[in-house]
């Protein structure tokens, strides 16, 4: 599969184009992002309710501790279900963005379109890839920082949760740990965000998609890193602004009723999450389109001129 070599400045172009994504069909694009967030939130809440019911039932039985084997037997499949659902819904949102950008009719509920096709459901395999990368990353981090660091780090987190002042440990190789984390995160995100459109739109199988994603991540490392740095920087600044706005509307709404302030604050954060999701997924679509090409993207038709042209 051909992989186009792109200039570093293409990362800036993706950043600018991603800001304008959704302008052609904002109801479908942002509606799809909100439906995705609601679906994942609902799945997470159901998982929490099931686990809470199991733990509560175990505690109510003569004061006995809950059966950890039963809890794990339920928690692991539910967690895997959510992890399998994430790449499918990301593919669905990317599908909505693609159709909207091409000027084709699309609706917000089309975010669930991949669930209706075998090609879309195969995106669930990327959940297994994500689990494997998490395990590999954990092993790398433990090997570099040392097992004592992570043990002391967990103890410090427990101290912080209990209200006491924690003593944060220092890793054995701080500089090397930061560098490895940076490289590992770059390739893990590139593999995931490139593989979704490669499997859904380009027809790649899992192994082929991962291989092409890795090649694209290496070949266009400059453009990809520039886009990533721009998005992370913009996200940090926007998060601070949104936090201030959420606090302001919570205070104003709280003057009416505390529930009103909480609802308005959550609405602001919900809208911000949908916006970030559209930007990240849209930028991934643009990167795939410019790196591998999209045969279905036809140039827009020239405007029809009604009248005489000099």
């Amino acid at each position: 599969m051909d992989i186009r070599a792109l200039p570093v400045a293409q990362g800036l172009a993706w950043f600018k184009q991603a800001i304008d994504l959704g302008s052609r069909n904002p109801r479908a694009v942002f509606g799809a992002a909100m439906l995705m967030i609601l679906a994942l939130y609902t799945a997470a809440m159901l998982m929490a309710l099931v686990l809470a019911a199991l733990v509560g039932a175990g505690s109510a039985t003569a004061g006995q501790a809950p059966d950890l084997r039963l809890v794990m037997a339920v928690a692991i499949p539910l967690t895997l279900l959510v992890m399998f659902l994430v790449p499918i819904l990301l593919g669905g949102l990317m599908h909505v963005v693609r159709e909207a950008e091409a000027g084709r009719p699309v609706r917000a509920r089309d975010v669930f379109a991949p669930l209706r096709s075998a090609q879309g459901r195969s995106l669930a395999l990327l959940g297994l890839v994500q689990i494997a990368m998490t395990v590999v990353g954990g092993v790398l981090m433990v090997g570099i920082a040392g097992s004592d660091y992570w043990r002391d780090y967990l103890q410090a987190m427990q101290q912080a949760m209990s209200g006491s002042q924690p003593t944060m440990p220092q890793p054995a190789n701080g500089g090397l740990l930061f560098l490895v984390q940076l490289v590992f995160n770059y390739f893990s995100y590139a593999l995931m965000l490139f593989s979704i459109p490669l499997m859904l739109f380009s027809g790649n199988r899992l192994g082929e998609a991962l291989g092409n994603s890795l090649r694209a991540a290496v070949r266009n490392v400059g453009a990809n890193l520039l886009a990533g740095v721009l998005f992370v920087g913009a996200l940090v600044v926007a998060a601070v602004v949104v936090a201030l706005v959420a606090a302001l509307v919570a205070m104003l709404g709280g003057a009416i009723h505390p529930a009103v302030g909480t609802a308005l604050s959550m609405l602001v954060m919900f809208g911000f999450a949908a916006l970030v999701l559209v930007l990240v997924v849209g930028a991934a679509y643009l990167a795939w389109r410019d790196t591998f090409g999209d045969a279905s993207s036809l140039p827009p038709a020239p405007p029809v001129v009604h009248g005489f042209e000099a």
Side-chain angles (χ1 to χ4, degrees):
M1 191 173 187
D2 292 335
I3 298 177
R4 300 168 182 168
L6 301 174
V8 176
Q10 190 64 32
L12 178 60
W14 291 333
F15 180 74
K16 293 179 179 179
Q17 293 170 15
I19 296 175
D20 192 45
L21 279 176
S23 59
R24 297 186 180 183
N25 195 344
R27 179 180 298 181
V29 173
F30 291 99
M34 292 180 182
L35 284 178
M36 176 181 172
I37 294 173
L38 287 175
L40 292 176
Y41 181 78
T42 302
M45 287 298 296
L46 288 175
M47 181 175 67
L49 288 174
V50 171
L51 294 178
L54 290 174
V55 173
S59 301
T61 306
Q64 296 179 356
D67 188 350
L68 292 180
R69 290 178 297 180
L70 177 60
V71 172
M72 295 302 295
V74 175
I76 291 176
L78 290 177
T79 304
L80 290 177
L81 179 63
V82 173
M83 296 191 72
F84 292 156
L85 189 60
V86 168
I88 295 178
L89 293 180
L90 286 175
L93 180 56
M94 204 172 292
H95 162 72
V96 173
V97 170
R98 183 194 192 201
E99 296 301 296
E101 287 301 297
R104 294 186 285 266
V106 67
R107 296 161 298 184
R109 64 175 179 265
D110 289 335
V111 69
F112 303 112
L115 291 170
R116 299 192 292 268
S117 67
Q119 192 173 8
R121 290 191 296 269
S122 66
L123 293 175
L125 296 174
L126 291 173
L128 294 175
V129 175
Q130 190 175 9
I131 294 171
M133 289 191 299
T134 301
V135 173
V136 172
V139 172
L140 282 174
M141 299 307 110
V142 170
I144 295 173
S147 58
D148 293 342
Y149 168 75
W150 296 106
R151 182 195 61 198
D152 297 340
Y153 181 81
L154 292 176
Q155 291 178 353
M157 291 298 99
Q158 291 176 353
Q159 292 174 0
M161 293 176 64
S162 64
S164 59
Q165 183 67 28
T167 302
M168 300 304 298
Q170 295 298 324
N173 304 286
L176 180 60
L177 179 63
F178 175 77
L179 180 62
V180 170
Q181 283 181 322
L182 186 65
V183 174
F184 183 81
N185 289 336
Y186 167 72
F187 281 103
S188 60
Y189 282 116
L191 285 176
M192 187 63 59
L193 293 177
F194 275 129
S195 294
I196 290 174
L198 283 171
M199 295 178 67
L200 189 60
F201 305 141
S202 302
N204 285 187
R205 295 185 178 275
L206 177 62
E208 186 181 3
L210 292 174
N212 288 329
S213 299
L214 183 60
R215 291 167 55 205
V218 173
R219 185 162 194 180
N220 294 317
V221 60
N224 295 334
L225 279 179
L226 177 59
V229 169
L230 290 174
F231 275 104
V232 170
L235 178 60
V236 171
V237 175
V240 173
V241 175
V242 170
L244 294 175
V245 172
L248 177 62
V249 297
M251 181 181 64
L252 295 177
I256 302 173
H257 192 277
V260 175
T262 301
L264 290 176
S265 177
M266 291 181 64
L267 186 62
V268 170
M269 300 304 295
F270 181 69
F272 177 65
L275 177 62
V276 170
L277 195 56
V278 169
L279 290 177
V280 172
V281 172
Y285 161 72
L286 294 172
W288 163 80
R289 183 195 66 186
D290 294 345
T291 303
F292 298 96
D294 187 359
S296 70
S297 294
L298 299 177
V304 178
V305 179
H306 299 283
F308 296 100
E309 184 176 356

